Amino acid sequence: MATLALGALGVVFGDIGTSPLYALQTVFSADHQAVKPTEADVYGVISLVFWSITLIVSIEFVLFIMRADNDGEGGILALIALVEGSPLRRGRFKVVLIALGMFGVALFYGDGIITPAISVLSAVEGVKVAVPSLQSLVLPITIAVLAGLFAIQRFGTHVIGRVFGPVMVIWFAVIAAAGLGRIVAHPAIVKALSPSYGVEFFGNHFGIAFISLGAIVLTITGAEALYADMGHFGRKPISRAWFFIVFPALTLNYMGQGSLILDTPSAIGSPFILLIPHWGRIPMVVLATVATVIASQAVISGAFSVTRQAVQLGFLPRLTIRHTSAREIGQIYVPAVNWFLLVAVVALVLGFGTSTRLASAYGIAVTGTITVDTLLFLVVARALWRKPGWLVGLAAAVFFTVDFAFLGANLTKAAHGGWFPLSIGAAVFTILSTWKRGSEKVHEERIEEEGSLRSFVTELREMAPPAVRVPGTAVYLNARRETTPLAMRAGVEHTGALHETVVIISIETTKAPHVPESERLVVDSLGYEDDGISHLTAQFGFQDSPDVPRLLALAQETGLETDVDVEGAVYFLSHVTVVPTSAPGMRGWRKRLFVAMARNAASPVDYFHLPGERTVTLGSQIEL
């Protein structure tokens, strides 16, 4: 448990753990300093910070939402899978929920762009306080750190990951000590933990307090990461690391910053760095930069993981996905996503220039994802777990009151940077929904083209003259177990020949993250055991990597009656060219977008780990 908790510190809490770098600074400097460094405002803000973290992170996520796991996996895609499997009576309502979930996934990519930019930039900005003469180097240093971070992604995180946990332990110990030192000197700040100060702040300055939520939300960034990374460490290690280390350290640091602002109002420009003694500021900038790199790494790895899950669940075309560890299946590298994130992050840093301006763009992505998580969780609790309606209604009233307050406050910043994550979210949602809808239509057309597999096998036995059987093993990949692979049908029709041993493999992606090998295969002789034709249905979890040669060997080991030449098998693929037409069902621009994505999809040879020298592709055409 201690080892898992230590690992969770290095991967899960980097984002929320580095929020003290910029959160309070943004609260007091946003909107022309509407929040003043007075006793009433400081106590009110610290109270709101503490209770926001308590309600959203500690109660909503750690105690409740993290109980909604999909075979141990968490995250918004796990919730989508649970909703898809729930017995909701209204089909249209389920479609709307899944669409909202897809938009939540889209916002996650916006978070994946903003987190590295604001985290690293805010850390490097500490140079301006420690050594003001180096102010002009802030942006170049930030871009250099980010470029290096993305450049090393292709090597994987399994080596550097070993030091993430200990570094974050040091980080939380240092920020807790910095805050505690200030609290001991001025203990009155502890009174700010009372919710009465937050309520009073709203009562006296409702407009200012509401707007301040748009910056206070920065203290809860990373709440989704606790849930999304649950599959790596488990709920209990994450919960214990949160309650025993992270939450106390954050609370002490925020109170320390509040005490500093009360004593030195000019400290609102950089309260985190000014909390550190002068001799320790340069080392703190270095430690903060390392911590923000770790926070960024967690979000980037999360983007890779979400991308793979989206591919497996049919929301994205096949992409090149490389496994960077022979032992850890979750450690992957997606080149297309990596370089897209780098370009977007650098553009964001150059466009906004400071972490304070970037903060305006941050909140919408975070609050939007949290709100969608809450909605899907409540649906799962009611429809799947059969919790009483009154209990779900009470939870909805509490959670949505808080979530919508933060979401509303951040929507007011749409014109000042909030448009960025919304634009990214809209673009990614368009891509996800277009691929999903286009794939369904192509699927319908392919079923007609392929025809029944059992009927085709029967026709083979009745052919006159019969098809010539050539030596060797042919493996045909087909998306559906009921239909005939187009490559197989075309080969017989054009050449009149078929291999002596034929294995048709249909791969199905389940809504579970992983499927054990003992439950992976279903063998079907298609009604004839003497003609050398077999069908395998293989089930993979949405986080499993489909390795077809390994699948063939597994079938040979577990009872496939046909004698298969695993080492010499030839693999046949059906390549379908999609041609957009004026037929109804999708708008013309979406058809063209779908075709463009289909043309740029990764080769199935790599995706299914096929040997390139023994893979044959036969083409066909389908109108969309």
Side-chain angles (χ1 to χ4, degrees):
M1 185 68 68
T3 301
L4 288 172
L6 179 63
L9 283 174
V11 174
V12 176
F13 298 105
D15 191 358
I16 196 169
T18 54
S19 295
L21 278 165
Y22 47 81
L24 287 192
Q25 171 186 332
T26 303
V27 171
F28 285 94
S29 58
D31 297 301
H32 306 290
Q33 296 183 354
V35 181
K36 305 297 182 182
T38 61
E39 181 174 303
D41 284 12
V42 170
Y43 279 23
V45 166
I46 298 300
S47 179
L48 289 177
V49 167
F50 175 75
W51 286 104
S52 296
I53 297 174
T54 299
L55 291 172
I56 294 180
V57 184
S58 298
I59 298 176
E60 187 172 347
F61 272 88
V62 176
L63 295 184
F64 285 97
I65 293 182
M66 285 180 65
R67 296 180 184 273
D69 67 285
N70 185 23
D71 283 354
E73 295 288 341
I76 195 165
L77 278 169
L79 282 173
I80 291 175
L82 291 174
V83 169
E84 282 189 315
S86 64
L88 285 173
R89 296 178 182 177
R90 290 179 290 174
R92 182 171 296 181
F93 181 52
K94 182 182 287 190
V95 170
V96 171
L97 288 174
I98 293 172
L100 285 172
M102 290 167 61
F103 189 68
V105 173
L107 286 177
F108 180 80
Y109 284 96
D111 187 17
I113 294 170
I114 299 173
T115 294
I118 191 172
S119 298
V120 177
L121 182 57
S122 62
V124 178
E125 281 177 342
V127 170
K128 295 189 298 184
V129 178
V131 187
S133 61
L134 298 179
Q135 179 173 348
S136 60
L137 297 179
V138 169
L139 288 183
I141 292 174
T142 299
I143 293 172
V145 171
L146 289 169
L149 173 64
F150 283 97
I152 65 173
Q153 293 302 310
R154 61 192 180 94
F155 299 111
T157 60
H158 56 286
V159 176
I160 193 171
R162 296 171 186 168
V163 302
F164 279 9
V167 169
M168 292 309 293
V169 168
I170 295 172
W171 167 259
F172 287 118
V174 169
I175 67 171
L180 184 61
R182 190 75 198 182
I183 294 169
V184 170
H186 302 83
I189 191 65
V190 175
K191 294 188 300 182
L193 298 185
S194 169
S196 62
Y197 287 97
V199 173
E200 185 178 341
F201 185 41
F202 260 95
N204 295 336
H205 313 285
F206 179 82
I208 293 175
F210 179 74
I211 295 298
S212 73
L213 291 179
I216 291 173
V217 72
L218 299 175
T219 63
I220 59 170
T221 59
E224 163 72 10
L226 274 70
Y227 182 40
D229 289 323
M230 186 169 63
H232 295 285
F233 303 99
R235 183 171 67 88
K236 288 185 178 179
I238 291 175
S239 301
R240 293 182 183 184
W242 169 254
F243 283 116
F244 291 129
I245 298 177
V246 182
F247 190 20
L250 293 176
T251 302
L252 290 173
N253 192 266
Y254 284 127
M255 285 196 296
Q257 289 189 48
S259 176
L260 174 65
I261 291 171
L262 281 176
D263 281 357
T264 312
S266 61
I268 60 174
S270 188
F272 179 83
I273 290 295
L274 293 174
L275 200 60
I276 308 298
H278 186 78
W279 57 265
R281 288 174 185 171
I282 288 296
M284 190 63 195
V285 170
V286 175
L287 178 61
T289 302
V290 174
T292 54
V293 166
I294 293 174
S296 303
Q297 178 64 58
V299 176
I300 296 168
S301 298
F304 293 162
S305 178
V306 166
T307 299
R308 183 177 66 174
Q309 294 179 47
V311 170
Q312 297 280 43
L313 290 174
F315 292 112
L316 284 174
R318 283 188 303 269
L319 296 172
T320 299
I321 298 175
R322 299 174 186 166
H323 291 263
T324 59
S325 172
R327 294 179 296 176
E328 300 294 334
I329 190 171
Q331 293 182 2
I332 58 174
Y333 170 61
V334 186
V337 174
N338 186 66
W339 300 121
F340 163 73
L341 290 177
L342 172 59
V343 171
V345 167
V346 171
L348 204 60
V349 169
L350 294 176
F352 284 82
T354 67
S355 60
T356 302
R357 294 174 61 190
L358 261 175
S360 298
Y362 205 0
I364 290 181
V366 175
T367 54
T369 304
I370 288 175
T371 304
V372 172
D373 277 340
T374 304
L375 173 63
L376 297 182
F377 166 75
L378 292 172
V379 171
V380 168
R382 177 60 178 156
L384 202 60
W385 299 345
R386 301 295 185 184
K387 295 295 182 182
W390 68 267
L391 183 62
V392 174
L394 178 62
V398 175
F399 292 157
F400 281 140
T401 297
V402 178
D403 292 351
F404 283 136
F406 276 106
L407 183 60
N410 279 278
L411 287 175
T412 63
K413 299 180 178 297
H416 304 286
W419 56 268
F420 180 82
L422 289 176
S423 301
I424 293 293
V428 174
F429 176 79
T430 300
I431 290 171
L432 297 174
S433 58
T434 297
W435 184 259
K436 187 71 170 177
R437 178 58 180 152
S439 298
E440 291 170 351
K441 292 189 68 64
V442 169
H443 168 80
E444 295 168 2
E445 295 292 332
R446 283 194 67 161
I447 289 177
E448 293 186 17
E449 292 264 348
E450 292 168 347
S452 168
L453 176 58
R454 292 187 180 274
S455 297
F456 182 73
V457 172
T458 301
E459 292 170 8
L460 279 176
R461 295 178 66 87
E462 300 172 354
M463 280 182 63
V468 176
R469 305 301 290 265
V470 299
T473 298
V475 180
Y476 293 89
L477 270 67
N478 200 43
R480 287 155 291 281
R481 69 175 82 179
E482 302 87 2
T483 59
T484 310
L486 290 175
M488 183 178 176
R489 182 181 290 277
V492 173
E493 290 178 353
H494 294 303
T495 67
L498 195 65
H499 283 73
E500 287 180 345
T501 302
V502 174
V503 180
I504 303 165
I505 298 179
S506 297
I507 292 177
E508 298 179 348
T509 302
T510 69
K511 293 180 175 63
H514 303 289
V515 174
E517 285 194 344
S518 60
E519 302 173 9
R520 177 152 291 164
L521 285 174
V522 175
V523 181
D524 186 356
S525 63
L526 301 174
Y528 304 102
E529 298 181 358
D530 59 346
D531 59 4
I533 302 176
S534 302
H535 185 278
L536 299 179
T537 301
Q539 291 192 328
F540 286 87
F542 61 77
Q543 286 200 336
D544 292 329
S545 179
D547 187 331
V548 171
R550 169 61 190 150
L551 201 62
L552 198 61
L554 180 64
Q556 185 76 16
E557 296 168 4
T558 56
L560 182 63
E561 295 181 2
T562 307
D563 187 19
V564 175
D565 179 9
V566 177
E567 298 299 325
V570 179
Y571 297 87
F572 289 87
L573 300 174
S574 305
H575 176 71
V576 174
T577 301
V578 182
V579 179
T581 68
S582 58
M586 287 180 70
R587 294 184 180 274
W589 66 269
R590 297 192 75 164
K591 289 182 179 181
R592 291 189 292 273
L593 174 60
F594 176 81
V595 170
M597 287 192 289
R599 288 174 180 169
N600 289 281
S603 168
V605 175
D606 297 328
Y607 185 76
F608 293 112
H609 299 82
L610 304 179
E613 72 279 4
R614 289 186 282 116
T615 300
V616 178
T617 302
L618 297 178
S620 59
Q621 183 171 293
I622 284 182
E623 294 184 348
L624 180 61

